[in-house]
């Protein structure tokens, strides 16, 4: 377990994959719990009223997507490591997001920080694509397509259930 953070760092720089992480459900459960907590913290920093529910639903949708993909493709045995990779790298990106959010002081992000935020988002999509590529034994382009589609589906569901306040 002590090596897990180092292994996750290798995943976010695309030097390792879910297959390099410890197997079993304990690391997956630990990283998911930490991922949920960091997601809730980041959402609360954004002062979203439904932050807990949004974070929990978003992470649940991601795990459900991973589960469906792996079961459908015949790679269900890779599920714990893939969840560990997705949640663990999500934790690392969550920590980086929290650092950026501390620069906002409750207001809009300064332009330079907003640009870093965008870069962090693109990087996280590439890491997700890398994880899906490895878990599904496919190409990076298919991994990118899956990552973008899962993000879009997640965004659509969250937006439908928690619509942003409309100015009248």
């Amino acid at each position: 377990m002590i090596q897990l953070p180092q292994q996750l760092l290798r995943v976010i720089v695309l030097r390792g994959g879910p297959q390099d992480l410890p197997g079993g459900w304990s690391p997956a459960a630990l990283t998911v719990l930490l991922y949920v907590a960091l997601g809730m913290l980041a959402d609360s920093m954004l002062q979203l009223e439904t932050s807990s529910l949004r974070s929990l639903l978003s992470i649940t949708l991601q795990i459900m997507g991973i589960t469906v993909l792996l079961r459908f493709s015949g790679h269900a045995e890779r599920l714990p490591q893939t969840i560990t990779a997705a949640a663990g790298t999500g934790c690392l990106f969550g920590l980086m997001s929290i650092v950026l959010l501390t620069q906002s002081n409750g207001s809009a992000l300064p332009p330079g920080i907003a640009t870093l935020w965008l870069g962090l988002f693109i990087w996280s999509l590439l890491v997700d694509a890398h994880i899906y590529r490895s878990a599904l034994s496919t190409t990076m382009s298919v991994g990118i397509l899956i990552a973008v589609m899962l993000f879009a589906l997640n965004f659509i569901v969250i937006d439908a259930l928690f619509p942003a306040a409309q100015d009248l």
Side-chain angles (χ1 to χ4, degrees), residues 124-134 139-140 143-145 147:
S124 74
L125 271 180
L126 286 174
V127 169
D128 284 351
H130 172 68
I131 291 168
Y132 302 144
R133 176 196 64 78
S134 296
T139 64
M140 188 62 165
I144 290 170
L145 179 64

Side-chain angles (χ1 to χ4, degrees), residues 23-130:
W25 287 103
S26 294
L30 175 67
T31 54
V32 166
L33 289 173
L34 187 56
Y35 190 26
V36 168
L38 288 170
M40 289 179 182
L41 177 60
D43 279 355
S44 70
M45 293 176 77
L46 290 170
Q47 300 174 346
L48 299 172
E49 292 176 19
T50 55
S51 62
S52 297
L53 289 174
R54 291 171 61 95
S55 292
L56 189 58
L57 180 59
S58 179
I59 292 166
T60 300
L61 289 171
Q62 182 180 16
I63 291 171
M64 287 173 54
I66 290 169
T67 302
V68 167
L69 284 169
L70 289 177
R71 289 193 188 279
F72 180 72
S73 67
H75 297 296
E77 73 282 356
R78 299 176 182 180
L79 191 55
Q81 288 173 298
T82 306
I83 290 173
T84 301
T89 57
C91 289
L92 295 176
F93 284 114
L95 287 170
M96 289 184 259
S97 293
I98 288 168
V99 168
L100 291 177
L101 287 173
T102 60
Q103 306 302 310
S104 71
N105 298 324
S107 59
L109 290 175
I113 301 297
T115 302
L116 288 174
W117 181 284
L118 177 62
L120 192 62
F121 168 72
I122 292 168
W123 183 16
S124 74
L125 271 180
L126 286 174
V127 169
D128 284 351
H130 172 68

Side-chain angles (χ1 to χ4, degrees), residues 1-11 17 20-23 27 30-31 84 88 92:
M1 271 310 216
I2 294 172
Q3 295 177 342
L4 185 58
Q6 294 169 336
Q7 292 166 320
L8 290 169
L9 286 172
R10 289 184 46 75
V11 174
D20 301 319
L21 301 176
L30 175 67
T31 54
T84 301
L92 295 176

